Amino acid sequence: MIVAAAAFAVLSFSSGAQAVPDTCFSSFLFPDSGSVVEGDGMYSVFLGDGRSIFLMGDSYIGTVSEGKRISGDHMYRNTYIVYDHERQRPVPLAGACGPETSAAVPEGVTDESSRWFWPGHGFTVGDRLYVFQQLMYSGSGPQGWNFHYDRTYILQYALPDISLDPVRQAPVPYDRLCTGEPSSENPHVHFGAAALNDIDSSGYLYIYAQVDIVNGFDPVTDVYIARTVEEKLFSEWEYFDGEGWSVRSEDAAAMQGLSEVAVSSQFNVFRLDGKYVLLTQDKSWNSGKIYTFISDTPCGPWSGKTLVYRIPDLADSDWYTYNAMAHPQFENDGRILVSYNVNSNDFSDQKSDVESYRPRFIWVDKKLILGLSR
């Protein structure tokens, strides 16, 4: 674990508080100028050299004054924030293909309003960073909700400079494309929703898929898992079929133990004190409930469902929350950093009140995460 240094080292928590709101990390990661000032997504990957990279979705780079964004109206489809743990300095990365282009742009795309990448998770292996990116496209639907999933790509970057390898970017090997409304016969499978480098423990890289069976206000979901080694990351995966592993993607089956909670489109799996932890926010509309599940293996079965945090009411009834995420490389006083996204049904709020589109952070006791203290 990497202890968040300097300002975070002086934080103190009430001994009785198992999950407490953060009071300073957000202001470091989202300053009012000089970096990303608003956005969502909030995956993070520890780069192994004292830095973390945060993988943001739709986001803005500009200037904020008195809580309002006064410059920077261009919405980037994705940005990266490189965060230096020692100096606590965020550095935004965008403009991969020219001014006002995102950090990652699909090959051949010149108009990101019609086709774009939204980040999934990722991991490092040695001096390489792998990021899963979901290729999205605009289509039918009300404004703000007219986006559709195409497929997931893998992008390879060289470290430490985070330079993209133009050759090593390709669709994931999972080849069951989904169209139409999701159902048990036509599930929408989004690999890259979570990722785990477990080479030191099991010898494998694991890639997780959030699976929409019913996508709506009362969603039903499954979670699949695939595994591979770095040499076959772009070419060949094995899929957990409920009992063992198969090279046939059509054999992929849901992991057991997660049916009580609709797993969000973005979630994560990580190792903590010898256990595997799956953390998710209930995907049910604006439920505000963040849960963890525990397993002895990366593929379950999962158990010990624990409500680790219930998000309090927000300042405005139009605001809502989604896609909580753990950042286990940030640990302080026995607590792990967790974030959740905030957004508004009134998109004009993003400019007039940046708090409507800035993630929130909390520190959650490790014992609670592991289901040892409820």
Side-chain angles (χ1 to χ4, degrees):
M1 287 295 176
I2 302 301
V3 177
F8 306 113
V10 303
L11 289 176
S12 61
F13 304 105
S14 166
S15 60
Q18 295 179 322
V20 294
D22 169 75
T23 56
C24 60
F25 187 79
S26 180
S27 64
F28 281 96
L29 194 63
F30 296 97
D32 283 347
S33 64
S35 185
V36 175
V37 295
E38 294 181 89
D40 67 357
M42 289 311 299
Y43 284 112
S44 73
V45 180
F46 180 58
L47 299 180
D49 59 1
R51 300 179 300 162
S52 287
I53 187 168
F54 286 82
L55 311 172
M56 307 292 297
D58 290 345
S59 44
Y60 297 94
I61 298 173
T63 302
V64 172
S65 177
E66 297 181 348
K68 299 180 180 180
R69 179 163 39 82
I70 60 174
S71 72
D73 288 343
H74 174 72
M75 175 180 277
Y76 294 87
R77 285 304 194 175
N78 60 78
T79 57
Y80 299 163
I81 304 175
V82 180
Y83 181 84
D84 188 312
H85 288 246
E86 292 297 324
R87 291 185 290 173
Q88 296 183 317
R89 184 171 64 92
V91 178
L93 298 179
C97 298
E100 295 194 339
T101 62
S102 300
V105 179
E107 187 175 4
V109 169
T110 57
D111 179 8
E112 288 186 85
S113 67
S114 59
R115 294 180 74 82
W116 65 92
F117 278 146
W118 273 344
H121 206 182
F123 40 60
T124 61
V125 184
D127 60 357
R128 292 166 297 281
L129 166 68
Y130 297 98
V131 175
F132 294 90
Q133 292 277 4
Q134 294 187 346
L135 179 62
M136 310 296 295
Y137 64 94
S138 60
S140 60
Q143 184 177 5
W145 301 98
N146 57 338
F147 52 83
H148 304 277
Y149 171 80
D150 187 329
R151 64 188 69 190
T152 299
Y153 279 69
I154 313 170
L155 278 60
Q156 177 180 308
Y157 295 84
L159 298 173
D161 56 344
I162 314 179
S163 57
L164 177 65
D165 185 334
V167 177
R168 301 286 278 176
Q169 48 182 314
V172 300
Y174 184 82
D175 56 4
R176 292 168 60 191
L177 298 182
C178 306
T179 59
E181 289 299 314
S183 68
S184 58
E185 292 76 28
N186 182 42
H188 285 201
V189 181
H190 301 163
F191 269 104
L196 173 67
N197 179 346
D198 200 46
I199 292 175
D200 290 344
S201 297
S202 65
Y204 288 97
L205 304 168
Y206 291 94
I207 305 98
Y208 295 82
Q210 188 268 0
V211 184
D212 285 324
I213 306 300
V214 176
N215 191 21
F217 284 90
D218 189 18
V220 177
T221 66
D222 282 332
V223 180
Y224 293 173
I225 178 175
R227 72 179 186 182
T228 189
V229 293
E230 186 184 16
E231 293 76 14
K232 297 181 179 181
L233 178 61
F234 288 86
S235 60
E236 184 178 321
W237 292 1
E238 296 179 326
Y239 303 88
F240 184 66
D241 62 10
E243 296 181 356
W245 298 91
S246 170
V247 296
R248 291 162 38 96
S249 62
E250 55 266 37
D251 292 339
M255 295 190 296
Q256 298 301 305
L258 301 171
S259 61
E260 292 184 24
V261 173
V263 174
S264 60
S265 302
Q266 298 179 336
F267 64 98
N268 61 339
V269 178
F270 55 98
R271 285 180 62 86
L272 183 63
D273 293 351
K275 297 289 186 178
Y276 295 89
V277 178
L278 186 151
L279 182 142
T280 182
Q281 183 170 341
D282 185 351
K283 193 179 181 180
S284 301
W285 175 253
N286 209 20
S287 76
K289 296 178 180 178
I290 302 174
Y291 291 96
T292 57
F293 295 84
I294 309 300
S295 177
D296 291 325
T297 75
C299 56
W302 299 92
S303 62
K305 183 185 80 170
T306 301
L307 178 64
V308 298
Y309 192 69
R310 183 160 191 166
I311 299 167
D313 291 340
L314 300 175
D316 190 298
S317 59
D318 277 333
W319 297 5
Y320 57 94
T321 68
Y322 53 103
N323 291 354
M325 194 72 56
H327 310 281
Q329 70 272 37
F330 291 89
E331 180 179 335
N332 188 285
D333 196 24
R335 288 174 168 81
I336 299 298
L337 189 67
V338 173
S339 65
Y340 57 90
N341 297 315
V342 175
N343 210 329
S344 175
N345 290 312
D346 183 351
F347 293 113
S348 67
D349 287 348
Q350 294 178 356
K351 184 169 185 176
S352 62
D353 188 345
V354 296
E355 292 304 317
S356 70
Y357 199 48
R358 278 183 171 175
R360 307 288 195 268
F361 295 88
I362 55 177
W363 294 92
V364 184
D365 191 288
K366 290 197 299 182
K367 292 181 180 178
L368 181 61
I369 289 174
L370 293 168
L372 302 176
S373 175
R374 306 185 188 186

